[in-house]
Amino acid sequence: MQNPQTLTATDIRKSFDGTQVLKGISIQVTKGQVLAIIGPSGSGKSTFLRCVTQLETVDSGEISICGETLVKNDAAGKAVYANKAVCAKIGLHIGLVFQNFNLFPHLSVLQNITEAPVRVLHKSKEEAETIARDLLKKMGLSEKADAYPCQLSGGQQQRVSIARALAMNPDVLFFDEPTSALDPELTGEILKVIRGLAAEHRTMVVVTHEMKFARDVADYVVFMDNGVIVEQGPPEELFDHTQNERTKAFLSRFNET
């Protein structure tokens, strides 16, 4: 099978209180691809991610993940979701890393990582802990297994959050501005981890304000503004050869810094 589609989103529309936030977003991600979504705050980037990961429902459009249809339109053009069992099955294909870590404060680092594999995947405690310790070693956090989130730096908490997502062995990993809550020094830690995952050819969708990262690591870049895709393409085309005035204006702010 050539370039199987891991994620297909077609004409996604979403409104909040009568305000249309997503105005027909269509995106495809192939297996092993790193897709970066960039754009100003309020452009709909995170809302799109939340829709794909089932944290929000769409008003209309179609989403398929790993060949399973999550939602499609009925004859009236309204979104109809798959049944609960299919939605749960699709959820197992994806991992999500939040910008604010979302670790359980009352659980140790090891417990944070093993909780879902044991409860959801029904792995034994021993197997889950072996996987968790391997991931902590990969994240450079072997000595923090028994620590609690409040004892970690922001960068360490985010690396635990990434390990927790990886422990479920997802087919596609989503990052929602994973460095926005970190200072510049800690940001480098997280970007290094994500670069390493990209080198393993993991399928990833990264919403980010880090333009250099998007340019250097992503295979494909989508620029969103005001709920629409303004421009998309390989990073060298979008960053170096864009003819779109809105894209130029957005990128110029980063080129000046």
Side-chain angles (χ1 to χ4, degrees), residues 60-115:
S60 65
E62 182 172 324
I63 299 172
S64 296
I65 297 175
C66 296
E68 301 269 1
T69 298
L70 173 66
V71 60
K72 61 182 178 181
N73 290 340
D74 63 12
K78 299 293 185 181
V80 177
Y81 275 79
N83 62 46
K84 187 177 291 187
V86 172
C87 289
K89 182 180 178 184
I90 291 172
L92 295 178
H93 289 298
I94 65 177
L96 176 59
V97 178
F98 299 89
Q99 53 185 295
N100 291 318
F101 323 136
N102 282 28
L103 298 174
F104 297 114
H106 62 291
L107 298 181
S108 70
V109 164
L110 192 67
Q111 291 169 329
N112 261 282
I113 299 172
T114 58
E115 180 83 355

Short mmCIF file of all heavy atoms in Angstrom, two decimals, residues 60-115:
data_model
loop_
_atom_site.label_atom_id
_atom_site.label_comp_id
_atom_site.label_asym_id
_atom_site.label_seq_id
_atom_site.Cartn_x
_atom_site.Cartn_y
_atom_site.Cartn_z
N SER A 60 -19.91 19.84 10.94
CA SER A 60 -19.99 19.08 9.69
C SER A 60 -18.60 18.76 9.21
O SER A 60 -17.61 19.35 9.65
CB SER A 60 -20.76 19.87 8.62
OG SER A 60 -20.05 21.05 8.26
N GLY A 61 -18.53 17.80 8.28
CA GLY A 61 -17.24 17.37 7.75
C GLY A 61 -17.02 15.89 8.00
O GLY A 61 -17.86 15.21 8.59
N GLU A 62 -15.89 15.40 7.53
CA GLU A 62 -15.56 13.98 7.70
C GLU A 62 -14.16 13.82 8.24
O GLU A 62 -13.23 14.51 7.80
CB GLU A 62 -15.69 13.24 6.36
CG GLU A 62 -15.41 11.74 6.47
CD GLU A 62 -15.73 10.97 5.20
OE1 GLU A 62 -16.72 11.32 4.53
OE2 GLU A 62 -14.99 10.02 4.90
N ILE A 63 -14.01 12.92 9.20
CA ILE A 63 -12.70 12.61 9.77
C ILE A 63 -12.53 11.10 9.77
O ILE A 63 -13.39 10.36 10.28
CB ILE A 63 -12.56 13.13 11.22
CG1 ILE A 63 -12.68 14.66 11.27
CG2 ILE A 63 -11.21 12.69 11.81
CD1 ILE A 63 -12.75 15.23 12.67
N SER A 64 -11.41 10.62 9.19
CA SER A 64 -11.06 9.21 9.23
C SER A 64 -9.65 9.08 9.77
O SER A 64 -8.76 9.86 9.40
CB SER A 64 -11.13 8.58 7.84
OG SER A 64 -12.46 8.61 7.34
N ILE A 65 -9.45 8.11 10.64
CA ILE A 65 -8.14 7.88 11.24
C ILE A 65 -7.82 6.39 11.11
O ILE A 65 -8.61 5.54 11.56
CB ILE A 65 -8.10 8.32 12.71
CG1 ILE A 65 -8.34 9.84 12.81
CG2 ILE A 65 -6.77 7.94 13.35
CD1 ILE A 65 -8.43 10.36 14.22
N CYS A 66 -6.70 6.09 10.47
CA CYS A 66 -6.26 4.71 10.27
C CYS A 66 -7.36 3.85 9.65
O CYS A 66 -7.58 2.70 10.06
CB CYS A 66 -5.77 4.12 11.60
SG CYS A 66 -4.33 4.95 12.27
N GLY A 67 -8.05 4.42 8.66
CA GLY A 67 -9.06 3.67 7.92
C GLY A 67 -10.41 3.58 8.58
O GLY A 67 -11.35 3.03 8.01
N GLU A 68 -10.54 4.12 9.80
CA GLU A 68 -11.82 4.09 10.52
C GLU A 68 -12.47 5.47 10.43
O GLU A 68 -11.82 6.49 10.69
CB GLU A 68 -11.61 3.72 11.99
CG GLU A 68 -10.94 2.39 12.21
CD GLU A 68 -11.96 1.27 12.36
OE1 GLU A 68 -13.17 1.54 12.26
OE2 GLU A 68 -11.52 0.13 12.58
N THR A 69 -13.76 5.52 10.09
CA THR A 69 -14.46 6.80 9.99
C THR A 69 -15.01 7.22 11.34
O THR A 69 -15.85 6.51 11.94
CB THR A 69 -15.61 6.71 8.97
OG1 THR A 69 -15.06 6.41 7.69
CG2 THR A 69 -16.36 8.03 8.88
N LEU A 70 -14.53 8.35 11.83
CA LEU A 70 -14.99 8.90 13.10
C LEU A 70 -16.31 9.64 12.93
O LEU A 70 -17.25 9.48 13.72
CB LEU A 70 -13.93 9.85 13.68
CG LEU A 70 -14.32 10.63 14.93
CD1 LEU A 70 -14.51 9.68 16.11
CD2 LEU A 70 -13.26 11.69 15.27
N VAL A 71 -16.39 10.47 11.90
CA VAL A 71 -17.58 11.29 11.67
C VAL A 71 -17.73 11.55 10.18
O VAL A 71 -16.74 11.64 9.45
CB VAL A 71 -17.48 12.63 12.46
CG1 VAL A 71 -16.27 13.44 12.03
CG2 VAL A 71 -18.75 13.47 12.31
N LYS A 72 -18.98 11.64 9.72
CA LYS A 72 -19.26 12.00 8.33
C LYS A 72 -20.60 12.73 8.30
O LYS A 72 -21.35 12.73 9.29
CB LYS A 72 -19.29 10.77 7.43
CG LYS A 72 -20.34 9.74 7.80
CD LYS A 72 -20.24 8.53 6.88
CE LYS A 72 -21.27 7.47 7.26
NZ LYS A 72 -21.16 6.27 6.39
N ASN A 73 -20.92 13.34 7.18
CA ASN A 73 -22.16 14.10 7.06
C ASN A 73 -23.34 13.20 6.71
O ASN A 73 -23.20 12.24 5.96
CB ASN A 73 -22.03 15.18 5.99
CG ASN A 73 -21.08 16.30 6.40
OD1 ASN A 73 -20.82 16.49 7.59
ND2 ASN A 73 -20.58 17.04 5.43
N ASP A 74 -24.50 13.57 7.23
CA ASP A 74 -25.73 12.91 6.79
C ASP A 74 -26.27 13.62 5.54
O ASP A 74 -25.61 14.52 5.00
CB ASP A 74 -26.77 12.88 7.91
CG ASP A 74 -27.23 14.28 8.35
OD1 ASP A 74 -26.92 15.27 7.64
OD2 ASP A 74 -27.91 14.37 9.39
N ALA A 75 -27.45 13.23 5.08
CA ALA A 75 -28.01 13.80 3.85
C ALA A 75 -28.26 15.30 3.97
O ALA A 75 -28.25 16.03 2.97
CB ALA A 75 -29.31 13.08 3.50
N ALA A 76 -28.44 15.78 5.21
CA ALA A 76 -28.70 17.21 5.42
C ALA A 76 -27.41 18.00 5.62
O ALA A 76 -27.45 19.21 5.84
CB ALA A 76 -29.61 17.39 6.63
N GLY A 77 -26.25 17.30 5.55
CA GLY A 77 -24.97 18.00 5.70
C GLY A 77 -24.55 18.22 7.14
O GLY A 77 -23.68 19.05 7.42
N LYS A 78 -25.16 17.48 8.07
CA LYS A 78 -24.82 17.59 9.48
C LYS A 78 -23.95 16.42 9.90
O LYS A 78 -24.08 15.31 9.39
CB LYS A 78 -26.09 17.61 10.34
CG LYS A 78 -27.02 18.78 10.05
CD LYS A 78 -26.40 20.11 10.45
CE LYS A 78 -27.38 21.27 10.27
NZ LYS A 78 -26.76 22.55 10.64
N ALA A 79 -23.07 16.66 10.87
CA ALA A 79 -22.14 15.63 11.32
C ALA A 79 -22.84 14.50 12.05
O ALA A 79 -23.69 14.74 12.92
CB ALA A 79 -21.09 16.25 12.23
N VAL A 80 -22.50 13.27 11.67
CA VAL A 80 -22.98 12.08 12.36
C VAL A 80 -21.77 11.26 12.78
O VAL A 80 -20.95 10.88 11.94
CB VAL A 80 -23.91 11.23 11.46
CG1 VAL A 80 -24.33 9.97 12.20
CG2 VAL A 80 -25.12 12.02 11.02
N TYR A 81 -21.67 11.01 14.10
CA TYR A 81 -20.51 10.29 14.62
C TYR A 81 -20.74 8.78 14.61
O TYR A 81 -21.87 8.31 14.67
CB TYR A 81 -20.19 10.77 16.04
CG TYR A 81 -19.33 12.00 16.06
CD1 TYR A 81 -19.88 13.25 15.82
CD2 TYR A 81 -17.95 11.91 16.26
CE1 TYR A 81 -19.10 14.39 15.80
CE2 TYR A 81 -17.16 13.04 16.25
CZ TYR A 81 -17.72 14.28 16.02
OH TYR A 81 -16.94 15.41 15.98
N ALA A 82 -19.64 8.06 14.54
CA ALA A 82 -19.69 6.61 14.68
C ALA A 82 -20.18 6.25 16.08
O ALA A 82 -20.23 7.11 16.98
CB ALA A 82 -18.30 6.02 14.45
N ASN A 83 -20.55 5.00 16.28
CA ASN A 83 -21.04 4.60 17.60
C ASN A 83 -19.90 4.63 18.63
O ASN A 83 -18.73 4.78 18.29
CB ASN A 83 -21.70 3.22 17.56
CG ASN A 83 -20.74 2.11 17.14
OD1 ASN A 83 -19.62 2.02 17.63
ND2 ASN A 83 -21.18 1.26 16.22
N LYS A 84 -20.28 4.51 19.87
CA LYS A 84 -19.33 4.68 20.98
C LYS A 84 -18.15 3.70 20.87
O LYS A 84 -17.00 4.07 21.14
CB LYS A 84 -20.05 4.51 22.31
CG LYS A 84 -19.20 4.83 23.51
CD LYS A 84 -19.99 4.71 24.82
CE LYS A 84 -21.02 5.80 24.95
NZ LYS A 84 -21.66 5.77 26.31
N ALA A 85 -18.42 2.48 20.47
CA ALA A 85 -17.35 1.48 20.39
C ALA A 85 -16.33 1.85 19.32
O ALA A 85 -15.11 1.72 19.54
CB ALA A 85 -17.95 0.11 20.10
N VAL A 86 -16.80 2.32 18.17
CA VAL A 86 -15.89 2.73 17.10
C VAL A 86 -15.10 3.96 17.51
O VAL A 86 -13.89 4.05 17.27
CB VAL A 86 -16.66 2.98 15.78
CG1 VAL A 86 -15.74 3.58 14.72
CG2 VAL A 86 -17.27 1.68 15.27
N CYS A 87 -15.77 4.92 18.14
CA CYS A 87 -15.07 6.12 18.61
C CYS A 87 -13.97 5.76 19.60
O CYS A 87 -12.86 6.32 19.55
CB CYS A 87 -16.05 7.10 19.25
SG CYS A 87 -17.17 7.92 18.08
N ALA A 88 -14.26 4.82 20.49
CA ALA A 88 -13.26 4.38 21.45
C ALA A 88 -12.10 3.68 20.76
O ALA A 88 -10.92 3.88 21.11
CB ALA A 88 -13.90 3.45 22.49
N LYS A 89 -12.40 2.86 19.76
CA LYS A 89 -11.36 2.16 19.00
C LYS A 89 -10.46 3.16 18.28
O LYS A 89 -9.23 3.03 18.27
CB LYS A 89 -12.00 1.21 18.00
CG LYS A 89 -11.00 0.40 17.18
CD LYS A 89 -11.72 -0.52 16.20
CE LYS A 89 -10.74 -1.30 15.34
NZ LYS A 89 -11.43 -2.12 14.32
N ILE A 90 -11.07 4.18 17.67
CA ILE A 90 -10.30 5.22 16.98
C ILE A 90 -9.41 5.97 17.98
O ILE A 90 -8.26 6.32 17.69
CB ILE A 90 -11.23 6.18 16.24
CG1 ILE A 90 -11.88 5.46 15.05
CG2 ILE A 90 -10.47 7.43 15.75
CD1 ILE A 90 -12.96 6.25 14.36
N GLY A 91 -9.95 6.18 19.18
CA GLY A 91 -9.17 6.88 20.20
C GLY A 91 -7.88 6.17 20.55
O GLY A 91 -6.90 6.81 20.94
N LEU A 92 -7.86 4.85 20.40
CA LEU A 92 -6.65 4.10 20.70
C LEU A 92 -5.55 4.33 19.66
O LEU A 92 -4.38 4.03 19.91
CB LEU A 92 -6.97 2.60 20.78
CG LEU A 92 -7.89 2.17 21.91
CD1 LEU A 92 -8.17 0.68 21.83
CD2 LEU A 92 -7.29 2.53 23.27
N HIS A 93 -5.92 4.83 18.49
CA HIS A 93 -4.93 5.08 17.44
C HIS A 93 -4.14 6.38 17.68
O HIS A 93 -3.12 6.61 17.03
CB HIS A 93 -5.61 5.20 16.07
CG HIS A 93 -6.15 3.91 15.53
ND1 HIS A 93 -5.35 2.82 15.25
CD2 HIS A 93 -7.42 3.54 15.20
CE1 HIS A 93 -6.10 1.84 14.78
NE2 HIS A 93 -7.36 2.24 14.75
N ILE A 94 -4.65 7.23 18.58
CA ILE A 94 -4.05 8.56 18.70
C ILE A 94 -3.50 8.82 20.10
O ILE A 94 -3.97 8.25 21.09
CB ILE A 94 -5.08 9.66 18.34
CG1 ILE A 94 -6.23 9.68 19.34
CG2 ILE A 94 -5.59 9.46 16.92
CD1 ILE A 94 -7.23 10.77 19.10
N GLY A 95 -2.48 9.68 20.14
CA GLY A 95 -1.95 10.17 21.40
C GLY A 95 -1.93 11.69 21.35
O GLY A 95 -1.74 12.27 20.28
N LEU A 96 -2.14 12.32 22.48
CA LEU A 96 -2.21 13.78 22.51
C LEU A 96 -1.34 14.31 23.64
O LEU A 96 -1.47 13.86 24.79
CB LEU A 96 -3.66 14.24 22.69
CG LEU A 96 -3.91 15.74 22.84
CD1 LEU A 96 -3.40 16.51 21.62
CD2 LEU A 96 -5.39 16.04 23.06
N VAL A 97 -0.48 15.25 23.31
CA VAL A 97 0.36 15.93 24.30
C VAL A 97 -0.14 17.37 24.41
O VAL A 97 -0.14 18.12 23.43
CB VAL A 97 1.84 15.90 23.90
CG1 VAL A 97 2.69 16.66 24.92
CG2 VAL A 97 2.33 14.46 23.78
N PHE A 98 -0.58 17.74 25.59
CA PHE A 98 -1.17 19.06 25.82
C PHE A 98 -0.09 20.10 26.10
O PHE A 98 1.02 19.78 26.49
CB PHE A 98 -2.12 19.02 27.03
CG PHE A 98 -3.28 18.08 26.87
CD1 PHE A 98 -3.17 16.75 27.26
CD2 PHE A 98 -4.49 18.52 26.36
CE1 PHE A 98 -4.25 15.87 27.14
CE2 PHE A 98 -5.57 17.65 26.23
CZ PHE A 98 -5.44 16.34 26.62
N GLN A 99 -0.47 21.38 25.95
CA GLN A 99 0.51 22.43 26.22
C GLN A 99 0.76 22.60 27.72
O GLN A 99 1.82 23.05 28.13
CB GLN A 99 0.06 23.76 25.61
CG GLN A 99 -1.32 24.23 25.97
CD GLN A 99 -1.71 25.49 25.22
OE1 GLN A 99 -1.10 26.54 25.41
NE2 GLN A 99 -2.70 25.41 24.36
N ASN A 100 -0.22 22.21 28.56
CA ASN A 100 -0.06 22.40 30.01
C ASN A 100 0.10 21.09 30.75
O ASN A 100 -0.30 20.98 31.91
CB ASN A 100 -1.26 23.19 30.56
CG ASN A 100 -1.26 24.63 30.07
OD1 ASN A 100 -0.22 25.27 30.03
ND2 ASN A 100 -2.41 25.12 29.67
N PHE A 101 0.65 20.10 30.08
CA PHE A 101 1.10 18.82 30.66
C PHE A 101 -0.06 17.88 31.05
O PHE A 101 -0.04 16.71 30.68
CB PHE A 101 2.03 19.02 31.87
CG PHE A 101 2.97 20.19 31.76
CD1 PHE A 101 3.18 21.04 32.83
CD2 PHE A 101 3.64 20.47 30.57
CE1 PHE A 101 4.04 22.13 32.73
CE2 PHE A 101 4.50 21.55 30.45
CZ PHE A 101 4.69 22.38 31.54
N ASN A 102 -1.02 18.37 31.86
CA ASN A 102 -2.19 17.57 32.26
C ASN A 102 -1.82 16.25 32.93
O ASN A 102 -2.49 15.24 32.75
CB ASN A 102 -3.10 17.29 31.05
CG ASN A 102 -3.96 18.48 30.67
OD1 ASN A 102 -3.57 19.61 30.92
ND2 ASN A 102 -5.10 18.23 30.08
N LEU A 103 -0.76 16.26 33.72
CA LEU A 103 -0.41 15.08 34.51
C LEU A 103 -1.30 15.01 35.75
O LEU A 103 -1.79 16.01 36.24
CB LEU A 103 1.07 15.14 34.93
CG LEU A 103 2.09 15.15 33.79
CD1 LEU A 103 3.49 15.36 34.36
CD2 LEU A 103 2.02 13.86 33.00
N PHE A 104 -1.50 13.79 36.25
CA PHE A 104 -2.27 13.61 37.48
C PHE A 104 -1.37 13.97 38.67
O PHE A 104 -0.36 13.29 38.91
CB PHE A 104 -2.75 12.17 37.62
CG PHE A 104 -3.68 11.73 36.53
CD1 PHE A 104 -3.32 10.75 35.63
CD2 PHE A 104 -4.94 12.32 36.40
CE1 PHE A 104 -4.19 10.35 34.62
CE2 PHE A 104 -5.82 11.92 35.40
CZ PHE A 104 -5.44 10.94 34.50
N PRO A 105 -1.70 15.02 39.41
CA PRO A 105 -0.79 15.49 40.47
C PRO A 105 -0.62 14.50 41.63
O PRO A 105 0.40 14.51 42.31
CB PRO A 105 -1.44 16.79 40.96
CG PRO A 105 -2.88 16.67 40.59
CD PRO A 105 -2.90 15.88 39.32
N HIS A 106 -1.63 13.65 41.85
CA HIS A 106 -1.59 12.72 42.98
C HIS A 106 -0.91 11.40 42.65
O HIS A 106 -0.77 10.54 43.51
CB HIS A 106 -3.02 12.44 43.48
CG HIS A 106 -3.89 11.78 42.46
ND1 HIS A 106 -4.32 12.44 41.31
CD2 HIS A 106 -4.40 10.52 42.38
CE1 HIS A 106 -5.06 11.61 40.60
NE2 HIS A 106 -5.12 10.44 41.21
N LEU A 107 -0.48 11.25 41.38
CA LEU A 107 0.20 10.02 40.96
C LEU A 107 1.68 10.31 40.71
O LEU A 107 2.04 11.39 40.26
CB LEU A 107 -0.44 9.45 39.69
CG LEU A 107 -1.90 9.02 39.77
CD1 LEU A 107 -2.34 8.45 38.43
CD2 LEU A 107 -2.13 8.01 40.88
N SER A 108 2.51 9.31 40.97
CA SER A 108 3.94 9.45 40.66
C SER A 108 4.13 9.47 39.15
O SER A 108 3.20 9.18 38.38
CB SER A 108 4.73 8.29 41.26
OG SER A 108 4.43 7.08 40.57
N VAL A 109 5.32 9.80 38.71
CA VAL A 109 5.65 9.79 37.29
C VAL A 109 5.36 8.42 36.69
O VAL A 109 4.73 8.29 35.63
CB VAL A 109 7.13 10.20 37.08
CG1 VAL A 109 7.60 9.83 35.68
CG2 VAL A 109 7.31 11.69 37.34
N LEU A 110 5.84 7.38 37.36
CA LEU A 110 5.63 6.02 36.85
C LEU A 110 4.14 5.69 36.76
O LEU A 110 3.67 5.12 35.77
CB LEU A 110 6.34 5.00 37.75
CG LEU A 110 6.45 3.58 37.20
CD1 LEU A 110 7.36 3.55 35.98
CD2 LEU A 110 6.97 2.62 38.28
N GLN A 111 3.38 6.07 37.79
CA GLN A 111 1.94 5.80 37.79
C GLN A 111 1.21 6.59 36.69
O GLN A 111 0.27 6.08 36.09
CB GLN A 111 1.35 6.14 39.16
CG GLN A 111 1.78 5.18 40.26
CD GLN A 111 1.41 5.67 41.64
OE1 GLN A 111 1.36 6.89 41.90
NE2 GLN A 111 1.15 4.75 42.55
N ASN A 112 1.65 7.81 36.44
CA ASN A 112 1.06 8.61 35.37
C ASN A 112 1.18 7.90 34.02
O ASN A 112 0.27 7.94 33.20
CB ASN A 112 1.73 9.98 35.30
CG ASN A 112 0.94 11.07 35.99
OD1 ASN A 112 -0.05 11.59 35.48
ND2 ASN A 112 1.39 11.42 37.19
N ILE A 113 2.32 7.25 33.81
CA ILE A 113 2.58 6.61 32.52
C ILE A 113 1.90 5.24 32.42
O ILE A 113 1.45 4.85 31.34
CB ILE A 113 4.11 6.47 32.29
CG1 ILE A 113 4.76 7.87 32.27
CG2 ILE A 113 4.41 5.74 30.98
CD1 ILE A 113 6.27 7.84 32.26
N THR A 114 1.80 4.52 33.54
CA THR A 114 1.26 3.16 33.49
C THR A 114 -0.26 3.11 33.61
O THR A 114 -0.88 2.08 33.28
CB THR A 114 1.86 2.28 34.60
OG1 THR A 114 1.58 2.88 35.87
CG2 THR A 114 3.37 2.15 34.41
N GLU A 115 -0.88 4.17 34.08
CA GLU A 115 -2.33 4.15 34.35
C GLU A 115 -3.15 3.71 33.15
O GLU A 115 -3.96 2.77 33.23
CB GLU A 115 -2.76 5.56 34.80
CG GLU A 115 -4.23 5.70 35.12
CD GLU A 115 -4.60 5.25 36.52
OE1 GLU A 115 -3.72 4.73 37.24
OE2 GLU A 115 -5.78 5.40 36.88
#
